[in-house]
Coordinates of all heavy atoms in Angstrom, one line a residue:
K961 N 85.9 68.0 59.4 CA 85.6 67.9 60.9 C 84.5 66.9 61.2 O 84.5 66.4 62.3 CB 85.2 69.3 61.4 CG 86.4 70.3 61.4 CD 87.5 69.8 62.4 CE 88.6 70.8 62.4 NZ 89.7 70.4 63.3
L962 N 83.7 66.6 60.2 CA 82.7 65.5 60.4 C 83.3 64.1 60.5 O 82.6 63.2 60.9 CB 81.6 65.6 59.3 CG 80.6 66.7 59.4 CD1 79.8 66.8 58.1 CD2 79.8 66.6 60.6
N963 N 84.6 64.0 60.3 CA 85.3 62.7 60.6 C 85.4 62.5 62.1 O 85.5 61.3 62.6 CB 86.6 62.7 60.0 CG 86.6 62.6 58.5 OD1 85.7 62.0 57.9 ND2 87.5 63.3 57.8
T964 N 85.4 63.6 62.9 CA 85.6 63.4 64.4 C 84.4 64.0 65.2 O 84.4 63.8 66.4 CB 86.9 64.1 64.8 OG1 86.9 65.4 64.4 CG2 88.1 63.3 64.2
A965 N 83.6 64.8 64.6 CA 82.4 65.4 65.3 C 81.1 65.0 64.6 O 81.1 64.8 63.4 CB 82.6 66.9 65.2
D966 N 80.1 64.9 65.4 CA 78.8 64.5 64.8 C 78.1 65.7 64.2 O 77.2 65.6 63.3 CB 77.9 64.0 65.9 CG 78.4 62.6 66.4 OD1 78.8 61.8 65.6 OD2 78.4 62.4 67.6
I967 N 78.4 66.9 64.7 CA 77.8 68.2 64.2 C 79.0 69.2 63.9 O 79.9 69.3 64.7 CB 76.9 68.8 65.3 CG1 75.8 67.9 65.7 CG2 76.3 70.2 64.8 CD1 75.0 68.3 66.9
V968 N 78.8 69.9 62.8 CA 79.7 71.0 62.5 C 78.8 72.2 62.3 O 77.8 72.1 61.5 CB 80.6 70.8 61.3 CG1 81.4 72.0 61.0 CG2 81.5 69.6 61.6
I969 N 79.1 73.3 62.9 CA 78.2 74.5 62.8 C 79.0 75.7 62.6 O 80.0 75.9 63.2 CB 77.2 74.6 64.0 CG1 76.1 75.6 63.7 CG2 78.0 74.8 65.3 CD1 74.9 75.5 64.7
G970 N 78.5 76.6 61.6 CA 79.2 77.8 61.4 C 78.2 79.0 61.7 O 77.3 79.2 61.0
P971 N 78.5 79.6 62.8 CA 77.6 80.7 63.3 C 77.8 82.0 62.5 O 78.8 82.3 62.0 CB 78.0 80.9 64.8 CG 79.5 80.5 64.8 CD 79.6 79.4 63.8
V972 N 76.7 82.8 62.5 CA 76.8 84.1 61.9 C 76.5 85.1 63.1 O 76.0 84.8 64.1 CB 75.8 84.4 60.8 CG1 76.2 83.6 59.6 CG2 74.3 84.0 61.2
T973 N 77.0 86.3 62.9 CA 77.0 87.3 63.9 C 75.6 87.7 64.4 O 75.4 88.1 65.5 CB 77.7 88.6 63.4 OG1 77.0 89.1 62.2 CG2 79.1 88.4 63.2
D974 N 74.5 87.4 63.6 CA 73.2 87.8 64.1 C 72.5 86.6 64.9 O 71.3 86.7 65.2 CB 72.3 88.2 62.9 CG 72.0 87.1 61.9 OD1 72.4 85.9 62.1 OD2 71.4 87.4 60.8
G975 N 73.2 85.6 65.2 CA 72.7 84.5 66.0 C 72.2 83.3 65.3 O 71.8 82.3 65.9
G976 N 72.3 83.3 64.0 CA 71.9 82.1 63.2 C 73.1 81.3 62.9 O 74.2 81.4 63.5
Y977 N 73.1 80.5 61.8 CA 74.2 79.9 61.3 C 74.2 79.8 59.7 O 73.1 79.8 59.1 CB 74.5 78.5 61.9 CG 73.3 77.5 61.9 CD1 73.0 76.8 60.8 CD2 72.5 77.3 63.0 CE1 71.9 75.9 60.8 CE2 71.5 76.4 63.1 CZ 71.2 75.7 61.9 OH 70.1 74.8 62.0
Y978 N 75.4 79.8 59.2 CA 75.6 79.7 57.7 C 75.8 78.3 57.2 O 75.6 78.0 56.0 CB 76.7 80.6 57.2 CG 78.1 80.3 57.8 CD1 78.9 79.3 57.2 CD2 78.5 80.9 58.9 CE1 80.1 79.0 57.7 CE2 79.8 80.6 59.4 CZ 80.6 79.7 58.8 OH 81.8 79.4 59.3
L979 N 76.2 77.4 58.1 CA 76.4 76.0 57.7 C 76.1 75.1 58.9 O 76.3 75.4 60.0 CB 77.9 75.8 57.4 CG 78.4 74.4 56.9 CD1 79.5 74.5 56.0 CD2 78.8 73.5 58.1
L980 N 75.4 74.0 58.6 CA 75.2 72.9 59.5 C 75.6 71.6 58.9 O 75.0 71.3 57.8 CB 73.7 72.9 59.9 CG 73.4 71.8 61.0 CD1 74.1 72.1 62.3 CD2 71.8 71.7 61.2
G981 N 76.5 70.9 59.5 CA 76.9 69.6 59.0 C 76.6 68.5 60.0 O 76.8 68.8 61.2
L982 N 76.2 67.4 59.5 CA 75.9 66.3 60.3 C 76.4 65.0 59.7 O 76.5 64.9 58.5 CB 74.4 66.1 60.5 CG 73.5 67.2 61.0 CD1 72.1 66.9 61.0 CD2 74.0 67.6 62.4
N983 N 76.8 64.0 60.6 CA 77.1 62.7 60.1 C 76.1 61.7 60.4 O 76.3 60.5 60.2 CB 78.5 62.3 60.5 CG 78.7 62.2 62.0 OD1 77.8 62.0 62.7 ND2 80.0 62.3 62.4
K984 N 75.0 62.1 61.0 CA 73.8 61.3 61.2 C 72.6 62.3 61.5 O 72.8 63.4 61.9 CB 74.0 60.4 62.4 CG 74.2 61.1 63.8 CD 74.5 60.1 64.9 CE 74.8 60.9 66.2 NZ 75.2 60.0 67.2
L985 N 71.4 61.8 61.3 CA 70.3 62.6 61.5 C 70.1 62.8 63.0 O 70.0 61.8 63.8 CB 69.0 62.0 60.9 CG 67.8 62.9 61.0 CD1 67.9 64.2 60.3 CD2 66.6 62.1 60.4
I986 N 69.9 64.1 63.5 CA 69.6 64.4 64.9 C 68.4 65.3 64.9 O 68.5 66.5 64.8 CB 70.8 65.1 65.5 CG1 72.1 64.3 65.3 CG2 70.6 65.4 67.0 CD1 73.4 65.0 65.7
P987 N 67.2 64.7 64.9 CA 65.9 65.4 64.8 C 65.8 66.5 65.8 O 65.1 67.6 65.5 CB 64.9 64.3 64.9 CG 65.5 63.0 64.6 CD 67.0 63.2 65.0
E988 N 66.3 66.4 67.0 CA 66.2 67.4 68.0 C 66.7 68.7 67.6 O 66.3 69.8 68.2 CB 66.8 66.9 69.3 CG 66.2 65.7 70.0 CD 66.7 64.4 69.4 OE1 67.5 64.4 68.4 OE2 66.3 63.3 70.0
L989 N 67.6 68.8 66.7 CA 68.2 70.0 66.3 C 67.3 70.9 65.5 O 67.5 72.1 65.2 CB 69.5 69.8 65.4 CG 70.6 69.0 66.1 CD1 71.8 68.9 65.1 CD2 71.1 69.7 67.3
F990 N 66.2 70.3 65.0 CA 65.3 71.0 64.1 C 63.9 71.4 64.7 O 63.0 71.8 64.0 CB 65.1 70.2 62.8 CG 66.4 69.8 62.2 CD1 66.9 68.5 62.3 CD2 67.1 70.8 61.5 CE1 68.2 68.2 61.8 CE2 68.3 70.4 60.9 CZ 68.8 69.2 61.1
I991 N 63.8 71.1 66.0 CA 62.5 71.4 66.7 C 62.7 72.4 67.8 O 63.8 72.6 68.2 CB 61.8 70.1 67.2 CG1 62.7 69.4 68.2 CG2 61.4 69.2 66.1 CD1 62.1 68.2 68.9
N992 N 61.6 73.1 68.2 CA 61.6 74.0 69.3 C 62.6 75.2 69.0 O 63.4 75.5 69.9 CB 61.9 73.3 70.6 CG 60.8 72.3 70.9 OD1 59.7 72.5 70.7 ND2 61.3 71.2 71.5
K993 N 62.7 75.7 67.8 CA 63.5 76.8 67.5 C 62.7 77.9 66.9 O 61.6 77.7 66.3 CB 64.5 76.4 66.4 CG 65.4 75.2 66.6 CD 66.6 75.6 67.5 CE 67.5 74.4 67.8 NZ 66.9 73.2 68.3
S994 N 63.1 79.2 67.2 CA 62.5 80.3 66.6 C 63.3 80.7 65.4 O 64.3 81.4 65.5 CB 62.5 81.5 67.6 OG 61.6 81.2 68.7
W995 N 63.0 80.1 64.3 CA 63.8 80.2 63.1 C 64.0 81.6 62.6 O 63.0 82.4 62.8 CB 63.3 79.3 62.0 CG 63.4 77.8 62.4 CD1 62.4 77.0 62.8 CD2 64.6 77.0 62.5 NE1 62.8 75.8 63.1 CE2 64.2 75.8 62.9 CE3 65.9 77.3 62.2 CZ2 65.1 74.7 63.1 CZ3 66.8 76.3 62.4 CH2 66.4 75.0 62.8
S996 N 65.1 81.9 62.1 CA 65.4 83.3 61.6 C 65.5 84.3 62.7 O 65.1 85.5 62.5 CB 64.5 83.7 60.4 OG 64.5 82.7 59.4
T997 N 65.9 83.9 63.9 CA 66.0 84.8 65.0 C 67.4 84.7 65.5 O 68.2 83.8 65.2 CB 65.0 84.5 66.1 OG1 65.4 83.3 66.8 CG2 63.6 84.5 65.6
E998 N 67.8 85.5 66.5 CA 69.1 85.6 67.1 C 69.4 84.4 68.0 O 70.5 84.3 68.6 CB 69.3 86.9 67.8 CG 68.5 87.1 69.1 CD 67.0 87.5 68.8 OE1 66.7 87.8 67.7 OE2 66.3 87.6 69.8
T999 N 68.4 83.5 68.3 CA 68.6 82.4 69.2 C 68.9 81.1 68.6 O 69.2 80.1 69.3 CB 67.4 82.3 70.1 OG1 66.2 81.9 69.3 CG2 67.0 83.6 70.8
V1000 N 68.9 81.0 67.3 CA 69.0 79.7 66.6 C 70.3 79.0 66.9 O 70.3 77.8 67.3 CB 68.7 79.8 65.1 CG1 69.0 78.5 64.4 CG2 67.3 80.3 64.8
F1001 N 71.4 79.7 66.7 CA 72.7 79.1 67.0 C 72.8 78.6 68.4 O 73.2 77.5 68.7 CB 73.9 80.0 66.6 CG 75.2 79.5 67.0 CD1 75.8 78.5 66.3 CD2 75.9 80.1 68.2 CE1 77.1 78.0 66.8 CE2 77.1 79.6 68.6 CZ 77.7 78.6 67.9
A1002 N 72.5 79.5 69.4 CA 72.6 79.2 70.8 C 71.7 78.0 71.2 O 72.1 77.1 71.9 CB 72.3 80.4 71.7
D1003 N 70.5 78.0 70.6 CA 69.6 76.9 70.9 C 70.1 75.6 70.3 O 69.9 74.5 70.9 CB 68.2 77.2 70.4 CG 67.5 78.3 71.2 OD1 67.9 78.6 72.3 OD2 66.5 78.9 70.6
T1004 N 70.7 75.6 69.2 CA 71.3 74.4 68.6 C 72.4 73.9 69.4 O 72.5 72.7 69.6 CB 71.7 74.7 67.1 OG1 70.6 75.3 66.4 CG2 72.2 73.5 66.4
I1005 N 73.3 74.8 69.8 CA 74.4 74.3 70.7 C 73.9 73.8 72.0 O 74.4 72.8 72.5 CB 75.4 75.5 70.9 CG1 76.1 75.9 69.6 CG2 76.5 75.2 72.0 CD1 76.8 74.8 68.9
K1006 N 72.9 74.4 72.6 CA 72.3 73.9 73.8 C 71.7 72.5 73.6 O 71.9 71.6 74.5 CB 71.1 74.9 74.2 CG 70.5 74.5 75.5 CD 69.4 75.5 75.8 CE 68.5 75.1 77.0 NZ 67.4 76.0 77.2
D1007 N 71.1 72.3 72.5 CA 70.6 70.9 72.2 C 71.7 69.9 72.1 O 71.6 68.8 72.6 CB 69.8 70.9 70.9 CG 68.4 71.6 71.0 OD1 67.9 71.8 72.1 OD2 67.9 72.0 69.9
A1008 N 72.7 70.3 71.3 CA 73.9 69.4 71.2 C 74.5 69.0 72.5 O 74.8 67.9 72.8 CB 74.9 70.0 70.2
T1009 N 74.7 70.0 73.4 CA 75.3 69.8 74.7 C 74.4 68.9 75.6 O 74.9 68.0 76.2 CB 75.5 71.2 75.4 OG1 76.4 72.0 74.5 CG2 76.2 71.0 76.7

Side-chain angles (χ1 to χ4, degrees):
K961 291 297 182 181
L962 284 171
N963 290 326
T964 56
D966 293 319
I967 302 170
V968 175
I969 189 165
V972 290
T973 56
D974 66 7
Y977 50 81
Y978 60 87
L979 181 149
L980 181 65
L982 303 176
N983 59 23
K984 63 183 177 184
L985 184 62
I986 306 169
E988 294 85 352
L989 300 180
F990 305 103
I991 58 173
N992 300 321
K993 304 280 182 306
S994 296
W995 295 103
S996 302
T997 69
E998 68 281 351
T999 64
V1000 174
F1001 172 74
D1003 290 343
T1004 303
I1005 296 302
K1006 181 179 171 185
D1007 289 342
T1009 302

